[in-house]
Amino acid sequence: MDPQQTTTPELSELLEGRQRILVTGGAGFIGGAVVRRLLRESTATVFNVDKMSYASDLSSIEGVLKEAGQASEDRHHLLKVDLTDAEALAAAVRQADPDLVMHLAAESHVDRSIEGPGDFIASNVTGTFHLLQAIRGHWDRLSDERKKQFRLHHISTDEVFGSLGDVGRFSETTPYDPRSPYSASKAASDHLVSAWHHTYGLPVVLTNCSNNYGPWQFPEKLIPVVILKAVAGEPIPLYGDGANVRDWLYVEDHVDALLLAATKGGLGHSYCIGGYGERTNKQVVEAICHLLDKLIPSKSAHSSLITPVTDRPGHDRRYAIDPTKISEELGWTSSHSFEKGLKSTVKWFLKNHSWCKKVRERANYQGSRLGIAGHGLLQAQNS
Ligand code: NAD
Ligand code: TYD
């Protein structure tokens, strides 16, 4: 089997006749994986609402459409809309006339949220508010039969729960305690979605997932940054003492969980998604370096490039997910071990170096440290 793909049991069956699916943020990393899965494994038409930001790219979706031939071309519609534009968004929703909405559009990088929180409030909070209002209007217009099947699935992060100590895991009952502008904006959007369910009866499902990794991730997040720095022979920045823990999940495992939750999740319920993939950042960086030593040997070990740098402001110490609810209620488990997922991810980035170069150039981002605004000492150290 293609290591990038896992099998969601009978996607067309899960969709139960839902043929018009609106995905927000479908030109991003996780949204793109959702769109590709829908195009490959169902007959649904996808309406991809995305503002096409620095983090967006359609190469992977265009590849799938090309593979599938002309017949599938009409199954993907890019609606280039910014969620902050309420009128344009309402028009896009009317055009899509969806049976299911999967809401992934968001500004997603913590370091950028430290540098410029305003975009995060606009897209993640105001954007979600506009989407909820547009979907309320749509839901009111639906026939009773379509109403029964309609759902809005809001995709969120475990970062809304804050930071763990050495023990314990986040679950659906963990109190919210966001600490970065990014996680605070996502927490706010979760609360809005929940409020629209309780107040207006909107049929919603929420999911909170741990850190994703895999092919097509914009090279500003830890794993692609480390691969690209190591390949270029540049210092690999490890924030603080490198002992912060993230719970890594391969993106295709996340897509499996999302499609189950979107179609089978209880209305008004939330589900925590994670695959017991806890690693310290130091372990992740060293694992990548060891893989690269084997795949592209160089005179000195790649780990010699690892460079401790001053910590991220407000750096959450540890994230870990207890996935019992989604496992027991919906039968989801992850199918990629971290070792297997990381190996195929590293190989993918080596093979797709030209894609990384293209998207970084387009975004005018060459891999410099982000999120240190106002930290003069750190800037001096890194220059
Ligand atoms: P990404 O940054 O790769 O992609 C986000 C997409 O949303 C981009 O294409 C961007 O253009 C679009 N977008 C942003 N603001 C928009 C706006 N105002 N209007 C229209 N489109 C807009 O992000 P990702 O990593 O694919 O994350 C997708 C979702 O999953 C986010 O909601 C994120 O909070 C959540 N999530 C991410 C992770 C992770 O590890 N990446 C983990 C858990 C949850
Ligand atoms: P990141 O991929 O930005 O995800 P998040 O902040 O949403 O968890 O970072 C993952 C971890 O890696 C986080 O603890 C910060 C750390 N990190 C580094 O040590 N070096 C880097 O260059 C980056 C981008 C992140």
Side-chain angles (χ1 to χ4, degrees):
M1 189 173 63
D2 173 355
Q4 290 175 28
Q5 237 181 304
T6 54
T7 42
T8 301
E10 299 95 25
L11 178 52
S12 286
E13 241 174 73
L14 278 181
L15 290 173
E16 287 181 289
R18 297 178 184 96
Q19 281 294 310
R20 301 176 70 87
I21 304 183
L22 191 161
V23 178
T24 74
F29 166 49
I30 303 171
V34 169
V35 171
R36 293 196 300 279
R37 187 74 73 83
L38 288 166
L39 293 173
R40 277 194 174 121
E41 296 185 17
S42 81
T43 54
T45 299
V46 177
F47 296 86
N48 186 347
V49 172
D50 199 301
K51 73 175 174 185
M52 300 305 288
S53 71
Y54 79 93
S56 310
D57 186 67
L58 291 175
S59 315
S60 71
I61 292 171
E62 283 159 2
V64 171
L65 292 170
K66 209 166 159 193
E67 261 168 39
Q70 254 187 342
S72 68
E73 270 172 23
D74 286 351
R75 290 187 45 221
H76 178 256
H77 301 269
L78 173 70
L79 307 179
K80 189 169 179 266
V81 168
D82 190 323
L83 264 56
T84 60
D85 181 343
E87 264 180 45
L89 181 58
V93 168
R94 279 195 297 275
Q95 183 184 339
D97 185 22
D99 303 309
L100 171 68
V101 177
M102 296 178 76
H103 176 36
L104 295 105
E107 293 295 339
S108 70
H109 189 34
V110 174
D111 289 335
R112 284 185 194 263
S113 82
I114 296 167
E115 257 181 56
D119 288 347
F120 287 71
I121 305 307
S123 284
N124 303 358
V125 185
T126 309
T128 298
F129 162 64
H130 289 154
L131 182 70
L132 287 164
Q133 289 292 77
I135 295 301
R136 258 183 81 199
H138 169 67
W139 193 59
D140 282 344
R141 293 189 294 270
L142 286 178
S143 65
D144 285 349
E145 205 176 321
R146 286 187 73 199
K147 249 190 192 137
K148 271 190 226 145
Q149 281 214 315
F150 180 81
R151 278 140 178 264
L152 165 68
H153 176 194
H154 175 64
I155 285 91
S156 191
T157 166
D158 60 353
E159 305 193 21
V160 299
F161 300 121
S163 182
L164 290 165
D166 290 343
V167 293
R169 294 176 168 276
F170 299 134
S171 77
E172 294 74 13
T173 55
T174 304
Y176 276 49
D177 184 20
R179 289 150 176 260
S180 74
Y182 164 65
S183 56
S185 68
K186 289 296 291 187
S189 69
D190 292 10
H191 291 315
L192 290 176
V193 171
S194 207
W196 262 240
H197 171 69
H198 289 288
T199 306
Y200 304 110
L202 209 61
V204 307
V205 179
L206 286 89
T207 50
N208 296 87
C209 187
S210 59
N211 286 63
N212 281 215
Y213 68 100
W216 309 106
Q217 185 167 34
F218 184 80
E220 65 182 352
K221 307 271 168 75
L222 178 68
I223 288 179
V225 162
V226 172
I227 299 169
L228 297 194
K229 295 272 186 199
V231 170
E234 291 170 9
I236 299 169
L238 187 61
Y239 297 178
D241 63 2
N244 298 65
V245 173
R246 297 293 181 265
D247 190 351
W248 294 96
L249 186 71
Y250 192 64
V251 65
E252 294 295 337
D253 285 332
H254 188 193
V255 175
D256 286 342
L258 292 179
L259 291 166
L260 273 171
T263 54
K264 297 284 173 211
L267 295 183
H269 282 233
S270 71
Y271 296 88
C272 284
I273 306 170
Y276 300 107
E278 276 186 72
R279 297 285 185 287
T280 64
N281 293 338
K282 189 160 179 278
Q283 287 172 326
V284 171
V285 172
E286 285 175 347
I288 295 170
C289 289
H290 290 147
L291 283 166
L292 290 173
D293 287 344
K294 288 194 193 133
L295 293 165
I296 46 161
S298 69
K299 272 185 225 143
S300 42
H302 288 93
S303 56
S304 64
L305 297 167
I306 299 172
T307 308
V309 295
T310 307
D311 216 349
R312 169 188 281 171
H315 197 176
D316 286 341
R317 191 63 173 172
R318 175 173 165 257
Y319 303 144
I321 288 276
D322 173 359
T324 306
K325 182 177 173 185
I326 190 161
S327 302
E328 289 186 354
E329 274 189 26
L330 305 181
W332 176 83
T333 50
S334 64
S335 52
H336 294 77
S337 67
F338 184 65
E339 287 66 31
K340 178 175 151 189
L342 189 66
K343 194 171 178 185
S344 70
T345 302
V346 169
K347 283 184 173 171
W348 187 91
F349 275 95
L350 290 180
K351 215 172 139 190
N352 290 276
H353 206 263
S354 58
W355 177 81
C356 297
K357 201 166 166 275
K358 180 186 84 175
V359 296
R360 272 191 167 175
E361 270 168 17
R362 192 173 55 204
N364 197 20
Y365 173 68
Q366 291 310 324
S368 59
R369 174 91 191 254
L370 297 167
I372 48 174
H375 289 250
L377 177 62
L378 180 62
Q379 276 160 345
Q381 275 182 3
N382 282 344
S383 60

